[in-house]
Amino acid sequence: MASSIQAVGSGRFRVLKPAAGAPSAVTGPVVYWMFRDQRVRDNWALIHAVDQANKANVPVAVAFNLFDQFLGAKARQLGFMLRGLEKLAHYLQDSLSVPFFLFQGEAIDTIPNFLRECGASLLVIDFSPLREVRRWKERICERVGDSVTVHEVDAHNVVPVWVASNKLEYGARTIRAKITKLLPEYLVEFPIIGPPKNKWAVNPKHSVDWGQLIADVVRKGAEVPELEWCEPGEDAAMEVLMGSKNGFLTTRLKSYATDRNNPLKPKALSGLSPYLHFGQISAQRCCLQARQIQKSHPKAVETFLEELIVRRELADNFCYYQPQYDSLQGAWEWARKTLMEHSNDKREHIYTREQLEKAQTADPLWNASQLEMVHYGKMHGFMRMYWAKKILEWTSGPEEALATAIYLNDKYEIDGRDPNGYVGCMWSICGVHDQGWRERPVFGKIRYMNYAGCKRKFDVDGYIAYVKRLVGGTKKRKAEAIAE
Ligand code: FAD
């Protein structure tokens, strides 16, 4: 990251690169390069961009770069994202008269070129702790020229990562108090923004043929097809949060504290992760709405906010402050040591990546969770832990286990390629944010989970039958669609 980073204002945004000479003066258009927070509503980065533009009486636009390849995304993830962006582009224009520009290729080329083309003086960018994004930002800061200032906004977390903590946290217990202390300042209602005073003169050569674009992306990534149950976009996300028919807070929240670890009751979970991952809903909005009903469901809301704020922001903290967030080298010393001491232990089964991908193990419960992920695109949260821990048990060492778990998670989960995913795999396999447990073969002191434990917790056969129906239904509908 550029060495000139400094905290500014309330800390929601910070200067990544000041312009030479007059660092705070906005003299030309403002461009918001959106990538992690793909929404119009409740978006601090957009609010900041519009606010800065209005103060300087200059126009503002939103730019998005579609990479040729980003962490192996397929039709499932890219289709969801682009369909959401198509709606966003229209909503942005209709509600705020702000244009949306979509570029394809490398952001380190397209974004600086666009800034030059429109004479922008301020670039506002989303925060992400992932290394690829941080590298692009560094390169963009180098390439945008002296006259451009670059601001970074953490619109994804309630408390911005750099405000919540300035170091790698050991676990939930060490970050919880820091975040909780800051909530009165950060967990506040969003200001309402209206159309910017100064309008952008839209260049028609930038208009997007969404139908063609989506068709191309879906064809290229067909190996992992789109999902039919998960409607993309901000409105759909709000419906999942608060819809009158099946909304989480309106109809399902009450059983969250008691049933969220039962894979046979997936509706007890919010189902928000696809929307949170692509930024189609703001976590802060979810928290604000949940807090309004805290009196009626105190335990459920408390548990939900623990996941949504503490666990999620802990994952961002890990990826931000631990450069090796997806490798054994990123594990704590005790965990690395114990895993290496047991890396040559005899395994009852060893499966290849292909066997695992095809759910060809001797464990019907694990196979069901793998199939839930491959065909339904969202494995139940409880099963994700069991699933990853078994991969440690069945591969030839922890490095291979971690790489395999991340590969499968990123390829098939609709919410994959996310800090939560890297930390989820690191927690399960490398004990990150966990403690040491009784030593045993293969796992060493890493927390262990097994089939018998699952059987005691929930109806394992019922879950296997449920996934069978789920997969059968998906395959049948697909076959019918092809036949039509
Ligand atoms: P809810 O229980 O309703 O949770 C609401 C939100 O809280 C989630 O959307 C998420 O943003 C946050 N949250 C919940 N649990 C956790 C957690 N343990 N850590 C951090 N944040 C959490 N989550 C992803 O978003 N993407 C992933 O790729 C991903 N991969 C995982 C892999 C493994 C091996 C494990 C153990 C966990 C993984 N998780 C991942 C975390 C968690 O399982 C999912 O966030 C959750 O199941 C998503 O469903 P939901 O939104 O219905 O959950």
Side-chain angles (χ1 to χ4, degrees):
M1 222 17 72
S3 59
S4 54
I5 291 174
Q6 57 188 99
V8 182
S10 68
R12 277 208 202 271
F13 78 95
R14 58 187 185 176
V15 178
L16 279 194
K17 175 197 164 293
S24 59
V26 177
T27 50
V30 175
V31 172
Y32 164 29
W33 173 31
M34 172 185 279
F35 57 85
R36 197 185 192 201
D37 290 280
Q38 300 166 16
R39 62 183 180 278
V40 175
R41 287 187 211 113
D42 305 330
N43 182 340
W44 286 114
L46 182 62
I47 292 167
H48 181 65
V50 170
D51 180 52
Q52 293 289 305
N54 278 342
K55 278 182 182 145
N57 197 23
V58 295
V60 55
V62 173
F64 189 92
N65 184 78
L66 179 63
F67 292 93
D68 290 338
Q69 256 300 322
F70 183 51
L71 298 173
K74 303 275 184 234
R76 177 166 297 170
Q77 297 88 5
L78 291 175
F80 184 83
M81 182 181 84
L82 287 173
R83 291 179 199 281
L85 285 174
E86 179 180 7
K87 294 178 187 173
L88 177 147
H90 296 303
Y91 184 37
L92 191 64
Q93 185 62 52
D94 295 347
S95 63
L96 293 178
S97 305
V98 170
F100 178 89
F101 294 90
L102 186 122
F103 302 101
Q104 282 180 267
E106 295 302 321
I108 56 166
D109 299 322
T110 60
I111 300 298
N113 288 346
F114 181 54
L115 296 182
R116 259 189 298 280
E117 190 186 310
C118 65
S121 67
L122 175 66
L123 175 64
V124 175
I125 51 188
D126 284 336
F127 165 78
S128 165
L130 300 186
R131 69 173 73 82
E132 293 77 7
V133 183
R134 292 168 74 173
R135 256 189 248 129
W136 299 327
K137 282 189 207 169
E138 273 177 21
R139 300 282 300 279
I140 287 174
C141 282
E142 284 160 16
R143 287 180 171 203
V144 291
D146 283 353
S147 58
V148 178
T149 302
V150 182
H151 286 178
E152 181 178 44
V153 181
D154 185 353
H156 213 73
N157 292 296
V158 177
V159 180
V161 162
W162 54 81
V163 177
S165 171
N166 60 4
K167 62 174 197 218
L168 182 66
E169 293 292 338
Y170 200 78
R173 86 188 139 75
T174 63
I175 204 170
R176 188 178 296 112
K178 293 182 180 178
I179 290 181
T180 308
K181 199 172 78 195
L182 291 160
L183 288 182
E185 187 183 342
Y186 285 93
L187 186 48
V188 293
E189 210 20 275
F190 293 87
I192 294 171
I193 47 171
K197 291 185 275 183
N198 193 329
K199 299 275 170 293
W200 191 285
V202 179
N203 178 350
K205 90 175 178 195
H206 282 297
S207 72
V208 182
D209 183 346
W210 290 101
Q212 188 61 49
L213 181 67
I214 293 171
D216 283 352
V217 159
V218 167
R219 187 175 34 77
K220 277 192 212 146
E223 187 191 351
V224 184
E226 289 187 275
L227 302 173
E228 50 195 23
W229 57 268
C230 192
E231 194 190 333
E234 289 185 56
D235 289 343
M238 284 306 280
E239 196 60 27
V240 171
L241 182 71
M242 326 213 299
S244 54
K245 251 170 108 193
N246 206 12
F248 176 61
L249 296 180
T250 30
T251 67
R252 298 182 283 119
L253 170 82
K254 19 188 195 305
S255 53
Y256 187 75
T258 46
D259 292 342
R260 83 201 154 95
N261 282 329
N262 184 345
L264 263 173
K265 297 191 175 171
K267 294 267 184 280
L269 299 180
S270 69
L272 285 166
S273 60
Y275 303 105
L276 289 164
H277 169 73
F278 288 99
Q280 294 180 0
I281 199 165
S282 142
Q284 185 160 337
R285 169 58 57 209
C286 302
C287 297
L288 288 168
Q289 297 304 137
R291 288 241 293 217
Q292 286 193 11
I293 51 169
Q294 191 149 21
K295 275 210 178 103
S296 334
H297 306 288
K299 188 68 199 150
V301 169
E302 185 196 327
T303 314
F304 179 56
L305 294 184
E306 167 73 11
E307 301 296 347
L308 189 62
I309 306 179
V310 177
R311 298 282 162 178
R312 214 173 49 87
E313 303 206 2
L314 181 63
D316 261 30
N317 170 279
F318 185 75
C319 292
Y320 186 58
Y321 290 111
Q322 172 49 268
Q324 320 236 46
Y325 55 77
D326 51 358
S327 102
L328 185 58
Q329 301 315 311
W332 314 134
E333 176 60 31
W334 69 263
R336 272 206 311 274
K337 186 165 172 285
T338 194
L339 283 167
M340 290 328 290
E341 280 167 5
H342 290 273
S343 63
N344 292 324
D345 288 0
K346 186 161 170 30
R347 271 89 170 142
E348 197 187 337
H349 302 282
I350 296 254
Y351 298 111
T352 61
R353 183 177 280 193
E354 196 189 354
Q355 285 173 311
L356 292 169
E357 191 158 3
K358 291 186 174 157
Q360 292 169 342
T361 78
D363 177 350
L365 175 59
W366 191 91
N367 293 344
S369 66
Q370 169 71 14
L371 292 174
E372 184 181 27
M373 179 175 73
V374 169
H375 295 280
Y376 187 68
K378 181 173 181 283
M379 192 193 300
H380 188 277
F382 182 83
M383 291 312 300
R384 294 191 198 207
M385 300 187 269
Y386 178 79
W387 171 85
K389 285 186 178 290
K390 285 284 153 186
I391 298 178
L392 172 60
E393 202 174 318
W394 296 333
T395 43
S396 56
E399 281 117 335
E400 186 188 326
L402 187 63
T404 303
I406 290 175
Y407 165 79
L408 294 173
N409 192 81
D410 283 359
K411 181 168 175 185
Y412 293 106
E413 296 283 16
I414 180 73
D415 57 19
R417 303 168 303 115
D418 189 281
N420 288 350
Y422 301 122
V423 171
C425 292
M426 288 291 277
W427 178 89
S428 309
I429 294 169
C430 301
V432 161
H433 300 148
D434 203 0
Q435 62 183 62
W437 295 76
R438 187 170 66 83
E439 195 158 0
R440 58 173 65 241
V442 181
F443 282 77
K445 293 178 183 163
I446 302 294
R447 186 197 294 251
Y448 177 66
M449 281 173 84
N450 68 0
Y451 188 89
C454 291
K455 234 179 150 75
R456 280 195 298 277
K457 262 184 170 291
F458 63 93
D459 174 7
V460 163
D461 292 336
Y463 171 70
I464 294 169
Y466 155 75
V467 174
K468 207 168 167 193
R469 284 196 303 276
L470 207 64
V471 174
T474 310
K475 284 187 175 164
K476 192 169 159 230
R477 280 190 295 281
K478 229 174 258 162
E480 284 166 359
I482 292 168
E484 266 173 18

